[in-house]
Amino acid sequence: MDVIILAIESSCDDTSAAIIRNGTVLSNCIANQEAHRQYGGVVPEVASRAHQANIIPVVEMALQKAGVAKEDIGVVAFTRGPGLLGSLLVGTSFAKAFALSRNLPLIEVNHMQAHVLAHFAEAPRPQFPFLCLTVSGGHTQIVLVRDFLDMEVIGETLDDAAGEAFDKSGKLLGLGYPAGPLIDRHAREGQARFPFPEPAVPGLNFSFSGLKTSILYFLKKETGANPDFIPQNLNDLCASIQTSIVTILLKKLRKAARQTGIKEIAIAGGVSANSGLRNALEAMGEKEGWNTYIPAFQYCTDNAGMIGVAAHYKYLQGEFCGQDAAPYARNSGQ
Ligand code: KG4
Ligand code: ZN
């Protein structure tokens, strides 16, 4: 019998709903919240209110696009955490209410696990075990993935996430929020000719706060001498920042691959949409003899499709949750 899952994602500032039938994503609808741009970052209270306004229309759109009636839904899945509590509560409450009213089973999904499992939405799918560099606005992790639901974080950031490094550096350049995609666009036209120091972090962990500070001091010095330094060098600055972040990420990923002997290498999360990272991963993969996996754009940034795919594998394992599953802000292990 067909298993049709309604999946809900509301952990940060995107309200998303998806319909997944037997592991295949039929629709994946996302309502982006423009309201945060004027503040230069996500405002939690604004995000929760926008989720409230968006959740019903986005679910209706997902049903319509999938050609599925409400009555056909057999399972409801939702992001339980990590994320902003107020945001998570909207999706969680909606999912619970929908399931309760129709007497349907519920599946809770860990957002970071879902970013990894986004690789199973479409071919080519990585073989187990594989390494996944999960890079988003809130997280930077190297995950050793032994099976669909058997994952271990073997490296992570000690301070800022890679997406935060993009966004905060972009803010210093006067770019809008989120700056990651804007830096990506400018970097394509520029040369990485400003060297920023690489942090010396032992093992497989990362640090990005030093990079932000060195960019800040560099810009202060240069704009002191020439107030137009940023607009005159914007493309090269973006290329330099992007190259620095990508280099830090890929050096640790290569270290993890060599240490574990794993050659199935994937990237996931919002920053995996970055063209510099995608190109550099492919180039490194050729040199190192890796099979590399990069998700389609719609599965990189936050989306309910990946929540539904993760829920499908939890469904196959019989991993359901109760109405008492409370959201959590921080990761509680995967
Ligand atoms: O996974 P995601 O949508 O949300 C979180 O779970 O955080 O990731 C959002 C992050 C933001 O920091 C954004 O600037 C970054 O992903 N991002 C990019 C690009 N597209 C999104 N960073 C660099 N280049 C991009 N093309
Ligand atoms: Zn995310």
Side-chain angles (χ1 to χ4, degrees):
M1 205 186 74
D2 278 353
V3 181
I4 301 184
I5 300 177
L6 166 65
I8 308 288
E9 153 65 33
S10 72
S11 63
C12 191
D13 60 338
D14 296 313
T15 321
S16 182
I19 305 292
I20 288 84
R21 183 169 59 207
N22 304 328
T24 300
V25 181
L26 300 184
S27 64
N28 187 20
C29 298
I30 303 169
N32 296 116
Q33 301 182 3
E34 295 296 323
H36 303 282
R37 282 187 197 279
Q38 59 181 307
Y39 302 108
V42 175
V43 183
E45 176 68 16
V46 173
S48 317
R49 287 171 190 268
H51 283 307
Q52 294 265 28
N54 291 339
I55 189 105
I56 291 174
V58 104
V59 167
E60 279 177 351
M61 196 191 301
L63 285 164
Q64 196 187 350
K65 276 204 168 168
V68 162
K70 276 193 193 98
E71 294 67 35
D72 299 333
I73 302 292
V75 180
V76 185
F78 63 97
T79 305
R80 185 172 172 194
L84 300 171
L85 268 184
S87 290
L88 289 165
L89 267 170
V90 178
T92 304
S93 308
F94 179 91
K96 287 179 183 176
F98 192 100
L100 191 64
S101 67
R102 290 169 189 276
N103 202 19
L104 298 175
L106 269 175
I107 295 179
E108 52 105 359
V109 172
N110 176 289
H111 182 86
M112 299 310 294
Q113 200 169 45
H115 269 304
V116 173
L117 293 176
H119 282 284
F120 295 91
E122 287 175 355
R125 297 172 172 87
Q127 304 281 312
F128 298 115
F130 67 92
L131 292 180
C132 188
L133 173 71
T134 312
V135 271
S136 72
H139 297 268
T140 300
Q141 301 178 331
I142 299 178
V143 187
L144 168 56
V145 190
R146 297 191 186 88
D147 206 339
F148 293 109
L149 304 178
D150 182 2
M151 303 184 188
E152 185 187 342
V153 177
I154 58 172
E156 61 191 329
T157 185
L158 304 175
D159 40 57
D160 291 351
E164 240 177 316
F166 271 104
D167 296 339
K168 288 181 176 171
S169 308
K171 204 169 182 177
L172 296 175
L173 299 177
L175 298 176
Y177 178 85
L182 302 171
I183 291 185
D184 191 351
R185 205 175 317 143
H186 285 290
R188 279 177 219 169
E189 312 294 323
Q191 297 292 325
R193 62 190 178 87
F194 303 116
F196 297 114
E198 264 181 54
V201 186
L204 297 175
N205 290 333
F206 302 91
S207 168
F208 289 101
S209 60
L211 176 66
K212 183 185 59 195
T213 312
S214 61
I215 294 168
L216 176 69
Y217 285 120
F218 174 77
L219 291 176
K220 266 196 180 155
K221 192 178 91 202
E222 295 295 337
T223 51
N226 169 14
D228 292 329
F229 179 77
I230 293 176
Q232 283 170 0
N233 296 282
L234 188 59
N235 292 343
D236 291 352
L237 283 164
C238 288
S240 306
I241 291 166
Q242 179 166 297
T243 300
S244 297
I245 296 171
V246 168
T247 304
I248 294 170
L249 290 171
L250 287 188
K251 278 193 179 169
K252 286 296 166 99
L253 187 57
R254 183 173 60 195
K255 190 170 184 179
R258 289 180 179 172
Q259 264 181 23
T260 57
I262 292 173
K263 289 184 181 292
E264 294 281 303
I265 311 288
I267 56 173
V271 179
S272 64
N274 182 266
S275 60
L277 178 60
R278 293 163 91 101
N279 294 338
L281 176 79
E282 289 196 334
M284 186 176 275
E286 262 177 40
K287 259 196 185 160
E288 298 284 313
W290 297 344
N291 293 321
T292 53
Y293 301 89
I294 302 175
F297 280 109
Q298 67 159 322
Y299 296 114
C300 287
T301 46
D302 290 348
N303 68 92
M306 68 183 191
I307 303 302
V309 171
H312 171 75
Y313 292 103
K314 294 191 92 169
Y315 174 85
L316 295 179
Q317 296 292 318
E319 288 192 23
F320 300 101
C321 70
Q323 284 280 336
D324 57 348
Y328 51 86
R330 288 174 194 283
N331 224 338
S332 63
Q334 293 171 0

